[in-house]
Amino acid sequence: MAFPASVRIVEVGPRDGLQNENQIVPTGTKIEFIRLLAETGLKTIEATAFVSPKWVPQMADHADVLRALPRGQGISYPVLVPNMRGFEAAAEAGATEVAVFAAASETFSQRNINCSIAESLERFAPVFAAALTANIRVRGYVSCALGCPYEGEVPLARVADVAAALFERGCYEISLGDTIGVGTPNRTSELIATVAARIPIDSLAGHFHDTYGQALANIYAALLAGVHVFDASVSGLGGCPYAPGAAGNVATEDLLYLLNGIRIETGVDLDRLISAGAFICEQLGRSTQSRVANARQGSC
């Protein structure tokens, strides 16, 4: 299969990246970070998560962050919601798109959200109904699509079942997550083929962590399989508090460099992206995990 002509990058750094940081990032810093990302040409930036501050204190300022973001620039700022309470708070703060999540692993589901896969899907039933009424789009995540830290390899048919359940309930797009970064290109190709038999390929996205250094290779395989939406985190920020040993997401800079090399259009400016990454790295007091950023400008 030929490569897609264009790819939409979903930047998840402000949410999936910062939620795993030990330190609390000031609200103003988060807003400036998102502003810099918006200036790169990115059209989808996951801004925050409407979750309990008790469990994820890094996202406690979710409403303040979302309300401060500029609108009318053709940019979508989806926010993660774990339940109806989170959805209601997000809607009140002005959300126009939310993301929900389910795991393909029973053990991971229990460790992450204290319920079974089936129970997690039922929990989102009122969210889908309310979102439809409010004209709020819903995106879905499937965790552990290529492996689980507790169960090991996850049957691909189960991944397809969970993805199909989310799609049938109202998600316009399903992001398949290699939460612990254990996937390889062949397995990724098998995953896409299995899920695409149940869901249109145009409604699938890839979310690859880089624990074993396979993220870009897996993205390449997914591109060949027809996927044209990918999640990434500037500077490789992130991980998962419920997935021991998981490294960060694939760095957006590295993904963009790959796509530019294949001549796939994204509308994103690499230099501005590197600058946004340098800003948040400086604020966090850490080095970028992006190889492209390091090659371009040295450690930030």
Side-chain angles (χ1 to χ4, degrees):
M1 181 178 289
F3 290 117
S6 63
V7 158
R8 177 167 60 89
I9 298 175
V10 178
E11 174 58 51
V12 299
R15 195 280 299 176
D16 199 13
L18 296 184
Q19 76 172 10
N20 204 49
E21 291 295 318
N22 291 325
Q23 61 185 293
I24 302 298
V25 179
T27 302
T29 299
K30 293 179 182 177
I31 293 168
E32 177 63 8
F33 178 35
I34 296 171
R35 185 191 70 79
L36 290 171
L37 290 170
E39 290 183 347
T40 68
L42 288 161
K43 294 303 180 184
T44 309
I45 304 171
E46 192 173 61
T48 186
F50 282 75
V51 294
S52 170
K54 176 182 177 182
W55 300 112
V56 189
Q58 297 88 340
M59 299 286 108
D61 58 356
H62 41 230
D64 292 337
V65 169
L66 185 58
R67 288 194 179 104
L69 300 181
R71 305 303 172 102
Q73 299 178 332
I75 301 173
S76 178
Y77 298 103
V79 297
L80 192 75
V81 298
N83 49 38
M84 190 59 189
R85 183 175 179 180
F87 174 83
E88 290 172 342
E92 183 178 348
T96 58
E97 180 176 339
V98 299
V100 299
F101 53 90
S105 157
E106 286 288 356
T107 307
F108 189 85
S109 185
Q110 290 288 350
R111 297 286 186 96
N112 190 9
I113 53 177
N114 300 309
C115 67
S116 69
I117 296 172
E119 289 169 340
S120 72
L121 293 170
E122 286 306 311
R123 182 181 293 178
F124 288 121
V127 172
F128 286 118
L132 182 63
T133 300
N135 195 31
I136 293 176
R137 298 209 303 171
V138 183
R139 189 174 194 252
Y141 285 107
V142 179
S143 303
C144 300
L146 286 167
C148 170
Y150 310 108
E151 297 182 7
E153 190 170 287
V154 175
L156 298 183
R158 190 194 303 162
V159 181
D161 287 343
V162 175
L166 287 170
F167 185 73
E168 290 163 3
R169 283 164 170 77
C171 288
Y172 77 92
E173 185 171 271
I174 307 296
S175 179
L176 302 175
D178 184 10
T179 309
I180 57 173
V182 295
T184 55
N186 282 356
R187 187 68 172 171
T188 297
S189 298
E190 293 170 358
L191 170 68
I192 301 302
T194 301
V195 180
R198 304 279 298 278
I199 297 172
I201 192 73
D202 288 344
S203 296
L204 292 180
H207 183 115
F208 296 98
H209 286 238
D210 205 29
T211 311
Y212 284 82
Q214 299 295 297
L216 287 179
N218 292 335
I219 287 169
Y220 195 91
L223 284 166
L224 288 173
V227 177
H228 55 83
V229 180
F230 294 95
D231 304 347
S233 180
V234 71
S235 296
L237 297 174
C240 179
Y242 301 97
N249 297 278
V250 64
T252 315
E253 301 95 322
D254 298 358
L255 169 60
L256 181 57
Y257 185 83
L258 170 68
L259 296 174
N260 286 348
I262 308 174
R263 295 182 174 81
I264 294 177
E265 180 60 40
T266 64
V268 181
D269 183 273
L270 180 58
D271 290 331
R272 290 189 175 189
L273 193 64
I274 291 173
S275 294
F279 167 81
I280 196 61
C281 283
E282 182 178 1
Q283 299 301 310
L284 296 174
R286 58 180 289 180
S287 298
T288 182
Q289 298 302 300
S290 164
R291 294 191 177 191
V292 168
N294 274 321
R296 283 290 190 95
Q297 64 178 25
S299 176
C300 71

